[in-house]
């Protein structure tokens, strides 16, 4: 959800927020804004711990060449991180933003990473086209039974994601490859019986379609 007016108010009240990470997009910048109570020390302490941090949800901003606020996104939780490196080989400038959604118990919650694109002075979440032609959000989870990694293929970044879930009383592991091309992002999926857990090694490249 986007709340440009609210973000502008928060930014004006310097006692309420402080800047986090940022990524350069030409003379513009994508900046992560955290509640003042989420200091770097608190971020490191609470990250992926399952403890609930105090503070307002983090906000992602797009700032213009003169520092003006062009657009913003309110994220799902106070704890968030922004990768300052743009993805390589992608038509629209794209950053990775991670929000910590770890619950106190359970192995199916954890930090979630999404791709945020800069398109026409707007911030949008990237989607991938599946084999059936439908678009689906790109959500990269890091949990007890899910993980992902960025890999470089030539001059292009690709994303690999693995996830195990129970199905009909047994575990099935899905392997997803996210690739960017002329039509944008596409996702290929391969599923196999069996359980994968994140305390083991990340699957080899040949496991992915």
């Amino acid at each position: 959800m986007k709340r440009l007016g609210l973000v502008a108010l928060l930014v004006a009240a310097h006692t309420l927020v402080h800047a986090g990470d940022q990524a350069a997009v030409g003379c513009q910048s994508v900046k992560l804004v955290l509640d003042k109570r989420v200091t770097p020390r608190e971020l490191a302490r609470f990250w992926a711990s399952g403890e609930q941090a105090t503070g307002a949800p983090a906000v992602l901003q797009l700032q213009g060449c003169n520092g003006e606020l062009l657009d913003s996104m309110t994220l799902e939780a106070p704890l968030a991180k922004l990768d300052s490196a743009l993805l390589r080989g992608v038509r629209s400038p794209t950053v990775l933003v991670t929000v910590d959604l770890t619950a106190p118990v359970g192995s199916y919650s954890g930090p979630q990473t999404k791709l945020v694109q800069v398109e026409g002075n707007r911030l949008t979440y990237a989607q991938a086209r599946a084999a059936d032609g439908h678009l689906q959000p790109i959500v990269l989870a890091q949990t007890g039974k899910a993980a992902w990694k960025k890999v470089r293929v030539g001059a292009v970044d690709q994303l690999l994601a693995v996830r195990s879930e129970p199905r009909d009383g047994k575990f099935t592991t899905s392997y997803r490859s996210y690739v960017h091309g002329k039509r944008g992002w596409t996702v290929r999926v391969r599923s196999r019986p069996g359980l994968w857990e994140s305390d083991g090694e990340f699957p080899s490249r040949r496991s992915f379609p």
Side-chain angles (χ1 to χ4, degrees), residues 124-136:
T124 63
Y125 285 117
Q127 299 186 86
R129 190 174 302 278
D132 61 4
H134 287 89
L135 291 173
Q136 55 184 245

Side-chain angles (χ1 to χ4, degrees), residues 7 53 68 128 137-138 171 200:
V7 175
E68 69 276 22
I138 302 176
F171 276 95

Side-chain angles (χ1 to χ4, degrees), residues 74-85:
T74 300
L75 305 180
E76 298 95 330
L79 303 182
K81 296 179 180 181
L82 174 67
D83 188 338
S84 61

Side-chain angles (χ1 to χ4, degrees), residues 179-196:
V179 179
H180 191 275
K182 293 181 179 179
R183 298 183 61 193
W185 288 97
T186 59
V187 57
R188 298 191 296 267
V189 185
R190 175 184 295 159
S191 296
R192 292 177 175 172
L195 171 65
W196 180 88

Side-chain angles (χ1 to χ4, degrees), residues 62-145:
L62 175 62
Q63 295 187 349
C65 298
N66 297 315
E68 69 276 22
L69 185 60
L70 302 175
D71 197 15
S72 68
M73 284 180 167
T74 300
L75 305 180
E76 298 95 330
L79 303 182
K81 296 179 180 181
L82 174 67
D83 188 338
S84 61
L86 299 179
L87 287 180
R88 292 167 291 200
V90 180
R91 182 177 63 251
S92 299
T94 302
V95 296
L96 298 173
V97 60
T98 303
V99 180
D100 187 9
L101 300 178
T102 308
V105 295
S107 59
Y108 285 97
S109 68
Q112 286 190 357
T113 299
K114 296 182 181 180
L115 284 64
V116 177
Q117 305 172 141
V118 179
E119 294 186 321
N121 292 337
R122 302 287 291 178
L123 297 173
T124 63
Y125 285 117
Q127 299 186 86
R129 190 174 302 278
D132 61 4
H134 287 89
L135 291 173
Q136 55 184 245
I138 302 176
V139 181
L140 307 170
Q142 188 73 46
T143 73
K145 294 181 174 64

Side-chain angles (χ1 to χ4, degrees), residues 158-208:
Q158 297 182 3
L159 303 167
L160 306 178
V162 57
R163 182 183 183 91
S164 286
E165 296 177 296
R167 187 179 300 172
D168 299 327
K170 298 181 180 180
F171 276 95
T172 296
T173 299
S174 299
Y175 303 86
R176 287 176 168 81
S177 299
Y178 294 93
V179 179
H180 191 275
K182 293 181 179 179
R183 298 183 61 193
W185 288 97
T186 59
V187 57
R188 298 191 296 267
V189 185
R190 175 184 295 159
S191 296
R192 292 177 175 172
L195 171 65
W196 180 88
E197 294 183 288
S198 59
D199 55 358
E201 292 187 6
F202 193 84
S204 65
R205 182 63 181 90
R206 63 177 178 272
S207 299
F208 295 84

Side-chain angles (χ1 to χ4, degrees), residues 45-67:
R45 173 190 170 192
F46 287 109
W47 189 262
S49 69
E51 296 185 59
Q52 301 301 307
T54 301
V59 174
L60 198 65
Q61 298 180 350
L62 175 62
Q63 295 187 349
C65 298
N66 297 315

